[in-house]
Amino acid sequence: MTTMTRHAAGMFCWTQLGTNDTKAAERFYSGLFGWKFELSPVGERDKIDLITLNGLPIGALVPLAPEQRELGVSWLPFVATDNADATAATVKQAGGKVVQGPMDASTNGRFAVFQDPTRALFAVWQAGSKPGAAVVNEPGTMCWNELITDDANKAGDFYKHVFGWTAEQAPLQQGGFYTIFKKDGAQAAGMMKATPDMKLTHPYWMTYFGVDDVDKSAEKTRQLGGKIMMPPADIPNIGRFSIVTDAQGGYFTLFKPLPSSKS
């Protein structure tokens, strides 16, 4: 397991769950991933519920913000930036909306929350003393982020402008294309246009968490009070996945890559 001391700008570096019931969320995710939780100061008065795995920070639990409650969003992914204020200006220039910040989280870093032109929420993190997640791309940690949208062209143009991402398209078995965003040649994120059967109510970012066994983790999710929204299935030449919800209805994806695939 490699400990991250820096995340490159334009790459996802953190994720946090907005919840109205911290204790229920702790019970669910500790049972599923073996996570532990500890209150960590982010200022003179404020604290967040830090998620740790093997003693290393990988995310956080926070009170569900009004903008998240309205959209039904739970997991909020953060992209690393060298300058949160400059990114905020670029977001506005590109047709997005600044929802919160930019503001300091004590000496830990500076962050801002945005809404892209299709209404999907995301955030950025400018590292201070904390780089973001200390571990990614391992079982029990964030390993991928994927935008589900109703306007792939508008969203794609926006994120390419804001983060300098390039885009490659791969055909999907069911038709259409899957977009892979890259930053300096490295895979940064994915995007797909929602199909009618998804019954999309609003665009959103889906966070993937790595697991050792997708089938067992999906069943464990169900036993802990969550739901299996898409049963375990293989993605040819990529890996195996299952879309689930936690006990409070928050969506996320369980994923195990093939040994040769890279997220």
Side-chain angles (χ1 to χ4, degrees), residues 16-21 24-25 28-29 32-33 35 61 64 68 71-76 202 204-209 221 225-230 242-254:
Q16 60 187 36
L17 175 66
T19 178
N20 283 324
D21 193 334
F28 176 87
Y29 287 101
L32 182 60
F33 294 127
W35 291 348
L61 300 182
L64 190 64
Q68 288 178 292
L71 294 174
V73 174
S74 293
W75 285 102
L76 179 69
H202 64 276
Y204 64 96
W205 279 95
M206 171 81 80
T207 297
Y208 283 50
F209 293 102
T221 296
K227 293 182 180 179
I228 301 173
M229 307 306 292
M230 182 176 287
S242 178
I243 299 174
V244 299
T245 73
D246 60 28
Q248 296 172 282
Y251 278 78
F252 62 99
T253 296
L254 304 166

Side-chain angles (χ1 to χ4, degrees), residues 115-144:
Q115 198 169 38
D116 72 22
T118 72
R119 293 206 308 151
L121 289 170
F122 68 101
V124 296
W125 178 253
Q126 176 187 334
S129 60
K130 306 295 184 183
V135 184
V136 294
N137 300 326
E138 298 282 353
T141 72
M142 177 180 67
C143 63
W144 189 243

Side-chain angles (χ1 to χ4, degrees), residues 237-239 255-263:
N237 304 314
I238 300 296
F255 181 65
K256 180 176 175 60
L258 293 175
S260 58
S261 68
K262 296 180 180 180
S263 295

Side-chain angles (χ1 to χ4, degrees), residues 53-85:
L53 182 67
N54 297 323
L56 298 172
I58 59 168
L61 300 182
V62 297
L64 190 64
E67 61 273 8
Q68 288 178 292
R69 190 178 302 113
E70 176 189 352
L71 294 174
V73 174
S74 293
W75 285 102
L76 179 69
F78 287 62
V79 180
T81 180
D82 292 327
N83 189 318
D85 295 80

Side-chain angles (χ1 to χ4, degrees), residues 22 50 66 114 136 145 159 178 193 234 241 254:
T22 299
L50 200 65
F114 306 116
V136 294
N145 286 279
Y159 288 102
Y178 188 86
K193 185 175 180 179
D234 291 326
F241 80 111
L254 304 166

Side-chain angles (χ1 to χ4, degrees), residues 156-176:
D157 288 344
F158 171 81
Y159 288 102
K160 286 187 284 186
H161 184 76
V162 171
F163 295 122
W165 289 346
T166 57
E168 296 179 2
Q169 289 188 327
L172 293 169
Q173 284 186 318
Q174 65 269 34

